[in-house]
Amino acid sequence: MVPLPPAPKSYHRSMETTPNMLRLTTGSPDYSRPYLIVIDGVNTHELYDVLSAFSWADGVDGRIIMTTAIQLPEATCCRCGNGSPLAIDSTSQVFIGELTESGFVEACLHLRDDTVARMQRSNNEILSSPIVQDLLLYFCMFPRDHPVRRNPLIRRWLAEGLVFPQPETESFSQDVAAKNLESLISRNVIQPIQVRNYGNVKRCQTFGMMLNSISSKSKSQNFITMLCGSQTTERNPAGKEIRRLSLHLNGAANGPLNLPKELSRLHTLAVFPDDANVARHRANLNYAKYKLLRVLDLKECADVKAEHVGKICDLLLLKYLSLGDSIDKVPRKIAKLKWLETLDMRRTQVVTLPIEVLQLPGLKHLLGKFQLVDGDYTQKKLEKLVSKDSELQRLSGFVTDKSEGFAQLMSRMGKLRKVKIWCDSTADVTKLVHVLGATKKFIGGGLDMTRVDRSLSIDFQGCPTECSEQFMDSLKATGRLTSLKLRGKLTQLPQFRTKLNYIEELCLSRTSLSGDTILSGLSGLKMTLKYLKLVEDKLGHLVIKPEHFRSLKGLCLVGEQSLEDITIQ
């Protein structure tokens, strides 16, 4: 950000291992020269770690600037007037010459003014597009410092109707939404806080001045109504209807919620309780009155009961439903939700599902660990379902126990992009015919869907060895996958067909294979891997050479017990 002296020649690279990670470290620089370090957006724990990492008593001529919204009188912080973190992309234009005490103060003032001006120009440019403005304002639904998951966010945008397909470019709505989110991230309007694989953003947030700006805009446009503690941002403004309500419950407030009286036009409802308020919303929310609801997010609520789910099933326009871990069984009444696109129950260990869910005509994303109700997959019901086309794109996933209902139904799911299968310990190798056939068909279907990513995940940990071997044989099918994840004991790596060289992401977990065995097996396949993850108790002796994975962008090695004797050339 500012011109600094060249790095001392004493820098060196070394490899350190811990019980569960591999990391590359760099030697300590020589701080006898003047230096400037700017650290943006730190919390109390990070700040403590940063401060304790430097010696402040040696009289070194340098400066460390930390931007934070937390009041820390013992630290010297550079903050704008309202305590929000400063953007630091303009520091190279501000800090010029020697950092004298007076020059430092003047530079901070210039930095503040320059940052505010840049923020205003950026806001005006971004908010000039109504679609992008709505997508950005939607971030106000989430509490401050709440990590926002990328894929659920996009699915909520689509359920709300904030994004539309573009026929002129043959772009699907989901692709348009993803492109807009990537644009906001690339322009630093939205900040990534967790990046997975080889660069894909998994979680993101808005920070500081941008969050304050869009919150103000959201309030002025009545885009979102928030209840923080016990106070709402607006209470039924004259002539305006509340369409989006976000409840941010915290331990600072007690008693009943002070909800707006009129919520008949509500389209989106999200509840974010803390540990002290998990049940505080129950007495106030009347789901029967929210007939126009499209999006209902209750995954953070651990007190939702079966009777509440029964009332939710009367919300006929619902498109997005997310429930917490207190619900382990879905009622048959859910068949009334003909418009439902997303059912997210990933917080629950195993969810029992009636076959009626798979009859929903608009269902695209079924997320959780599901098993069908015993006796619910009669031949008559299966034939009725197979006779209809399915819109399901993501089935992640289902349990193969003693039944094969899900596997038989996969044959009609021609639009599947992502599948996850758990092979139960009670699985019988003689009853895996439909599962293995469905797996082969899913792999083969990738040849007809070359424009989309195809992901297969199989967890056979705990199931008989014969079952895992059968699954490995199914991977020999001719077809196309872009992502493959395998978890469980293997006797050898699967022998992929040539077409499966499309695989870009490969994750192998607890296979009991040595690192050298995995490496030699993968090298012979000549895959164009971009991301490789290996999770084992001990990877043992492992030497990764440049010629092994020429296209690799990301590598993750996890040793549950040790990561000794690993060399990356």
Side-chain angles (χ1 to χ4, degrees):
M1 292 176 290
V2 297
L4 294 176
K9 294 182 179 180
S10 60
Y11 268 36
H12 68 278
R13 303 189 71 185
S14 64
M15 183 183 301
E16 296 181 1
T17 59
T18 68
N20 62 350
M21 72 174 67
L22 173 82
R23 60 184 179 185
L24 295 176
T25 61
T26 305
S28 300
D30 180 7
Y31 286 118
S32 61
R33 303 182 183 185
Y35 64 88
L36 170 65
I37 300 176
V38 181
I39 307 171
D40 182 44
V42 297
N43 60 37
T44 53
H45 299 291
E46 291 173 336
L47 186 57
Y48 174 80
D49 293 339
V50 170
L51 292 173
S52 62
F54 294 92
S55 174
W56 300 93
D58 54 8
V60 175
D61 184 14
R63 178 76 66 175
I64 294 182
I65 304 173
M66 285 163 285
T67 64
T68 179
I70 302 169
Q71 298 295 329
L72 296 168
E74 69 277 9
T76 300
C77 302
C78 181
R79 296 175 291 139
C80 59
N82 63 358
S84 302
L86 291 174
I88 58 175
D89 60 347
S90 60
T91 50
S92 59
Q93 303 175 24
V94 177
F95 292 101
I96 303 174
E98 295 185 5
L99 287 175
T100 62
E101 190 66 31
S102 59
F104 169 73
V105 175
E106 183 180 356
C108 284
L109 295 176
H110 281 294
L111 174 60
R112 179 197 63 189
D113 296 339
D114 183 69
T115 301
V116 171
R118 282 170 173 260
M119 182 69 71
Q120 290 174 343
R121 290 196 300 269
S122 178
N123 285 352
N124 293 335
E125 182 179 352
I126 294 169
L127 298 181
S128 63
S129 168
I131 295 178
V132 177
Q133 173 180 280
D134 288 348
L135 300 184
L136 182 57
L137 294 183
Y138 202 87
F139 276 87
C140 296
M141 288 289 298
F142 305 96
R144 187 178 293 269
D145 298 327
H146 182 85
V148 181
R149 292 174 62 91
R150 174 187 181 273
N151 291 337
L153 174 67
I154 290 176
R155 288 191 282 267
R156 288 170 63 155
W157 284 349
L158 298 176
E160 280 252 22
L162 299 178
V163 183
F164 301 94
Q166 297 178 348
E168 64 276 8
T169 60
E170 298 183 354
S171 296
F172 298 104
S173 297
Q174 189 164 340
D175 298 329
V176 174
K179 184 177 180 180
N180 279 306
L181 179 59
E182 290 169 2
S183 176
L184 292 173
I185 292 174
S186 66
R187 298 173 67 172
N188 294 322
V189 177
I190 302 299
Q191 299 292 325
I193 59 173
Q194 183 180 358
V195 180
R196 61 182 175 186
N197 300 0
Y198 43 89
N200 293 336
V201 174
K202 185 175 183 179
R203 289 181 174 87
C204 55
Q205 274 183 337
T206 52
F207 287 100
M209 296 176 65
M210 177 55 70
L211 181 58
N212 294 338
S213 176
I214 63 175
S215 296
S216 176
K217 190 80 171 181
S218 171
K219 181 178 180 180
S220 66
Q221 294 188 359
N222 192 38
F223 187 81
I224 290 174
T225 300
M226 290 182 291
L227 187 148
C228 302
S230 61
Q231 299 295 323
T232 55
T233 54
E234 292 287 344
R235 292 185 52 76
N236 292 109
K240 296 181 180 180
E241 303 287 351
I242 293 178
R243 298 187 181 276
R244 300 175 184 89
L245 177 63
S246 183
L247 307 182
H248 305 173
L249 310 182
N250 55 62
N254 297 310
L257 301 180
N258 190 21
L259 291 179
K261 295 181 180 180
E262 179 55 49
L263 294 174
S264 61
R265 298 289 180 179
L266 196 63
H267 284 189
T268 296
L269 173 62
V271 183
F272 301 93
D274 62 10
D275 294 339
N277 289 273
V278 292
R280 187 164 162 245
H281 67 284
R282 284 192 308 187
N284 298 80
L285 297 180
N286 189 347
Y287 301 109
K289 293 184 177 180
Y290 313 147
K291 297 295 185 181
L292 300 183
L293 206 62
R294 267 77 161 173
V295 175
L296 180 58
D297 187 353
L298 300 176
K299 66 176 177 293
E300 303 284 348
C301 304
D303 66 319
V304 178
K305 305 299 181 183
E307 58 265 27
H308 300 140
V309 179
K311 294 178 181 179
I312 291 171
C313 290
D314 290 326
L315 305 176
L316 304 184
L317 298 181
L318 203 62
K319 290 187 174 183
Y320 181 100
L321 175 60
S322 180
L323 298 173
D325 59 6
S326 61
I327 301 297
D328 59 4
K329 186 175 182 179
V330 178
R332 296 187 185 277
K333 194 178 178 182
I334 199 172
K336 298 174 66 176
L337 304 181
K338 304 296 185 182
W339 293 95
L340 191 65
E341 295 178 354
T342 298
L343 177 60
D344 189 344
M345 302 186 70
R346 285 175 289 185
R347 295 291 180 95
T348 306
Q349 187 172 1
V350 179
V351 180
T352 302
L353 201 69
I355 203 167
E356 282 79 2
V357 172
L358 301 176
Q359 293 176 310
L360 295 175
L363 189 64
K364 296 180 179 179
H365 309 282
L366 186 57
L367 311 175
K369 190 175 182 179
F370 298 101
Q371 61 183 12
L372 290 176
V373 176
D374 287 339
D376 213 24
Y377 34 87
T378 63
Q379 192 61 35
K380 184 177 180 180
K381 288 185 176 181
L382 291 176
E383 289 176 357
K384 183 179 179 180
L385 284 171
V386 171
S387 65
K388 300 178 181 179
D389 291 332
S390 171
E391 294 294 320
L392 202 60
Q393 298 177 8
R394 184 173 178 179
L395 176 58
S396 52
F398 68 90
V399 180
T400 62
D401 43 21
K402 295 180 181 180
S403 67
E404 293 192 272
F406 265 114
Q408 289 179 266
L409 293 172
M410 275 184 63
S411 62
R412 77 177 187 95
M413 301 175 184
K415 297 182 180 180
L416 278 179
R417 299 183 181 185
K418 184 171 184 176
V419 176
K420 184 168 185 177
I421 303 171
W422 283 273
C423 187
D424 192 84
S425 59
T426 61
D428 187 344
V429 68
T430 62
K431 295 184 178 181
L432 290 179
V433 177
H434 292 290
V435 177
L436 300 174
T439 302
K440 293 177 181 179
K441 185 171 182 179
F442 176 72
I443 295 174
L447 296 175
D448 299 324
M449 301 178 67
T450 57
R451 294 181 57 190
V452 299
D453 292 336
R454 306 267 294 179
S455 174
L456 176 63
S457 176
I458 305 175
D459 188 335
F460 40 82
Q461 192 174 26
C463 73
T465 304
E466 306 84 50
C467 294
S468 63
E469 291 176 349
Q470 291 289 329
F471 274 112
M472 294 305 99
D473 287 340
S474 70
L475 296 178
K476 297 178 182 179
T478 300
R480 174 181 172 272
L481 290 174
T482 53
S483 175
L484 178 63
K485 300 177 182 179
L486 303 175
R487 183 183 183 188
K489 188 175 181 179
L490 296 176
T491 56
Q492 62 178 6
L493 283 180
Q495 302 301 308
F496 302 110
R497 290 286 179 90
T498 304
K499 289 294 184 180
L500 283 185
N501 286 351
Y502 285 108
I503 292 178
E504 296 179 349
E505 176 186 7
L506 180 62
C507 300
L508 302 176
S509 179
R510 296 179 175 86
T511 63
S512 297
L513 299 176
S514 67
D516 269 347
T517 301
I518 295 175
L519 193 62
S520 59
L522 294 179
S523 300
L525 296 174
K526 298 181 180 179
M527 290 181 176
T528 56
L529 281 180
K530 293 183 179 179
Y531 179 75
L532 174 63
K533 181 176 182 178
L534 304 178
V535 182
E536 300 290 345
D537 288 338
K538 295 180 180 180
L539 285 171
H541 177 73
L542 182 63
V543 179
I544 300 179
K545 301 178 180 179
E547 60 268 21
H548 283 154
F549 308 107
R550 295 187 178 276
S551 302
L552 204 65
K553 294 183 178 181
L555 175 64
C556 180
L557 305 177
V558 180
E560 298 291 349
Q561 297 180 11
S562 69
L563 273 175
E564 297 178 356
D565 200 15
I566 293 178
T567 303
I568 302 176
Q569 295 182 355

